[in-house]
Amino acid sequence: MKKPRNNRNLKIVIIVIICLTFIVGIGAGIGAGTYISNKKAQTTEETKLKDTALNDSSQVKGDGAEKEDDKKPEADKPETNDSKDDKDSGNGDNSQDSSQNKDNADNSSQSQNQGSTYDASVPADDTGIHRYEYIISDCTWQEAFQDCLNRGGYLVRINSSKEYETIRKEISRQKMTDIYFKLGGRRDNQSQDYYWVNQDNKLFGEKLNSDDSWCSDEWMGGEPSFQDGNLEEKYMDLFFYDGEKRFVWNDVPDDMLAAEPAYSGKLGYICEYED
């Protein structure tokens, strides 16, 4: 009867040992799993930190390189097409200005050396009677000359006694005998020979103050005088002279109003039209 009791107790001990072993195994497994999980998490976090550090380092290095590039002197930077065009344009303008200045100097020198503007190649003016316009204006001879061209005509040129008679009658009929009319005639500097001028303001045709000219008697007595005191007189005009009771020609300055303000409102010019 004692043996059976001993076997029973042994069985109980063995069962207890097995249960303890099982419990210990389960606890060890849980502990190992937790340790491994924590280790993996730590490794992953370290990897992320390393990657972040590397990226930050690369970015800092890149920014530094850009800053170094910014520090390069302007002379090392490539020249753009716009800057080249600006330089080329500037050089072109300077070259053009120099060329124009040279041309102006050459033209000025040529004018000084030329002396005479008489053009012998221009044929003599016709003696026909055309249409005439009588304009009252306190302008200069040069302004009158240009205005007639702008109107499609030219400053009047009188080439015969018949044409002159026509003009005198028209002035009288329009009651403009108190007006000093500019004519399309003048002389050159350093010359005393008067001629009509063409549309290019060049002298041509016969000498108007010659004793052989048809109009030699149309000048006022003692004229042309070429100057009045220190005032140079190079241009021609026409007016009714009470002292001789007739229309006469005279030589006058370019700007009569500047020479004598009393002429204000009494100056004019005649435009001639061949239509």
Side-chain angles (χ1 to χ4, degrees):
M1 293 294 292
K2 290 182 179 178
K3 286 183 178 177
R5 183 179 294 180
N6 292 335
N7 290 338
R8 182 180 177 185
N9 292 334
L10 180 61
K11 289 181 178 178
I12 291 171
V13 171
I14 291 170
I15 292 171
V16 171
I17 292 171
I18 291 172
C19 290
L20 291 173
T21 301
F22 181 76
I23 291 170
V24 171
I26 292 174
I30 293 171
T34 301
Y35 175 78
I36 292 172
S37 177
N38 292 337
K39 191 68 176 177
K40 287 183 177 180
Q42 183 179 1
T43 302
T44 302
E45 186 66 21
E46 290 177 354
T47 301
K48 290 181 178 181
L49 291 175
K50 287 181 179 180
D51 292 338
T52 302
L54 289 174
N55 290 335
D56 292 341
S57 176
S58 297
Q59 185 174 3
V60 170
K61 183 177 181 181
D63 292 342
E66 292 177 358
K67 291 179 180 179
E68 289 296 328
D69 289 340
D70 293 339
K71 294 179 181 179
K72 290 182 179 179
E74 293 293 330
D76 294 337
K77 291 187 177 181
E79 187 176 14
T80 63
N81 290 334
D82 292 340
S83 63
K84 289 182 179 180
D85 291 341
D86 291 341
K87 290 181 180 179
D88 292 341
S89 176
N91 292 337
D93 290 342
N94 292 336
S95 176
Q96 185 175 3
D97 290 342
S98 298
S99 177
Q100 289 178 348
N101 291 336
K102 183 178 179 181
D103 290 341
N104 290 337
D106 291 341
N107 290 336
S108 177
S109 176
Q110 183 178 1
S111 297
Q112 292 176 357
N113 295 331
Q114 189 175 17
S116 174
T117 62
Y118 185 86
D119 190 349
S121 66
V122 178
D125 210 4
D126 68 80
T127 58
I129 298 175
H130 304 124
R131 181 170 64 88
Y132 308 95
E133 183 178 10
Y134 305 86
I135 302 168
I136 299 176
S137 173
D138 288 342
C139 64
T140 66
W141 186 94
Q142 296 287 350
E143 291 170 342
F145 174 83
Q146 186 59 52
D147 186 59
C148 285
L149 295 179
N150 295 341
R151 292 169 180 263
Y154 50 85
L155 202 55
V156 66
R157 305 190 293 254
I158 306 174
N159 294 298
S160 68
S161 297
K162 187 175 182 180
E163 183 180 17
Y164 187 31
E165 181 182 3
T166 299
I167 292 172
R168 294 197 310 267
K169 287 182 178 180
E170 288 184 354
I171 293 175
S172 298
R173 186 165 54 248
Q174 297 185 38
K175 302 184 184 302
M176 302 175 74
T177 55
D178 59 339
I179 303 300
Y180 293 78
F181 290 101
K182 296 174 177 62
L183 305 178
R186 65 172 183 84
R187 65 179 174 86
D188 279 329
N189 293 327
Q190 311 303 323
S191 172
Q192 293 187 344
D193 299 335
Y194 279 89
Y195 298 91
W196 298 126
V197 295
N198 63 9
Q199 283 86 331
D200 296 323
N201 200 7
K202 290 186 177 182
L203 310 179
F204 77 103
E206 67 172 321
K207 179 180 174 181
L208 300 175
N209 57 325
S210 168
D211 291 337
D212 297 330
S213 173
W214 73 268
C215 57
S216 60
D217 292 333
E218 305 303 338
W219 291 87
M220 185 171 67
E223 300 296 338
S225 60
F226 313 111
Q227 65 180 48
D228 184 1
N230 295 326
L231 186 64
E232 189 81 3
E233 296 178 328
K234 298 183 354 183
Y235 304 91
M236 293 175 57
D237 78 347
L238 160 69
F239 68 100
F240 185 86
Y241 181 40
D242 289 333
E244 297 182 16
K245 303 298 181 182
R246 67 185 184 110
F247 286 94
V248 295
W249 296 4
N250 186 24
D251 58 345
V252 295
D254 176 44
D255 191 346
M256 288 183 65
L257 193 60
E260 181 50 68
Y263 283 114
S264 179
K266 297 181 179 180
L267 301 177
Y269 53 98
I270 305 172
C271 292
E272 183 174 354
Y273 305 92
E274 297 184 7
D275 54 13

